[in-house]
Amino acid sequence: SGEAALVLERSFSPGVMSPIEITASHQGSGLLSAKDLATVEEFTRSLSRDPRVTDAYSTVNAENGSNLALVTVIPSAPVDSAEATELVEGLRDETIPRYTAVAGPQMLVGGETAQGRAMRMGVGGTRSVPRQTPPASRRQNSKCQRPCSSRVR
């Protein structure tokens, strides 16, 4: 309803309802290495200091040999704004390459802003990852290498 939208707008960052999601993984099986995890942690910390970002945190799921970490970024701008699109472009073109240039996990940017930008640019789905929520059974029983959700500030 319109009233609910106003409450959300007053209570939360404009980007909280549609975060940018970045997957970090490596090819092959096995867990992310300690170096990969350190890269993800440092990357997440750098995002939390970015003035265009309200919050950033990473989640690592080590269940069944998963090699995936998810970095959630809450932009300070609305999902459909030029500022949010510029944030996605900056992540893809500048920030992520700094953390993955020599080695480290592969990082892909997804979420509604990233998908909207890809569609406007006529880009296929190669650089954006659709938002997926693990089944409830996996969320409740996940076994993590580190704290499953760590807010970095």
Side-chain angles (χ1 to χ4, degrees):
S1 75
E3 188 175 327
L6 288 173
V7 169
L8 287 173
E9 187 177 307
R10 283 189 296 248
S11 302
F12 299 99
S13 162
V16 76
M17 297 304 290
S18 189
I20 297 168
E21 295 177 319
I22 302 163
T23 59
S25 65
H26 63 82
Q27 293 189 1
S29 61
L31 301 174
L32 290 167
S33 70
K35 184 176 179 180
D36 290 338
L37 292 171
T39 298
V40 169
E41 187 173 332
E42 185 171 327
F43 173 70
T44 304
R45 280 197 175 120
S46 76
L47 291 175
S48 70
R49 292 187 299 264
D50 189 315
R52 302 169 297 175
V53 172
T54 300
D55 196 9
Y57 56 93
S58 58
T59 306
V60 176
N61 180 1
E63 183 178 324
N64 298 325
S66 173
N67 65 353
L68 181 68
L70 178 67
V71 179
T72 303
V73 181
I74 310 298
S76 56
V79 63
D80 57 351
S81 68
E83 293 86 358
T85 299
E86 289 170 7
L87 175 58
V88 167
E89 290 171 352
L91 289 169
R92 285 181 172 157
D93 298 338
E94 299 166 20
T95 309
I96 289 174
R98 281 198 307 267
Y99 287 89
T100 60
V102 176
Q106 176 185 26
M107 295 189 194
L108 299 173
V109 180
E112 191 174 337
T113 301
Q115 289 176 329
R117 181 194 176 278
M119 291 176 71
R120 286 189 303 278
M121 301 298 290
V123 175
T126 58
R127 292 178 71 188
S128 62
V129 177
R131 182 177 180 156
Q132 296 179 342
T133 303
S137 61
R138 284 189 55 206
R139 286 194 310 265
Q140 293 170 351
N141 298 320
S142 82
K143 298 173 186 168
C144 299
Q145 295 172 339
R146 305 179 112 185
C148 289
S149 180
S150 59
R151 294 204 178 265
V152 180
R153 272 271 176 214

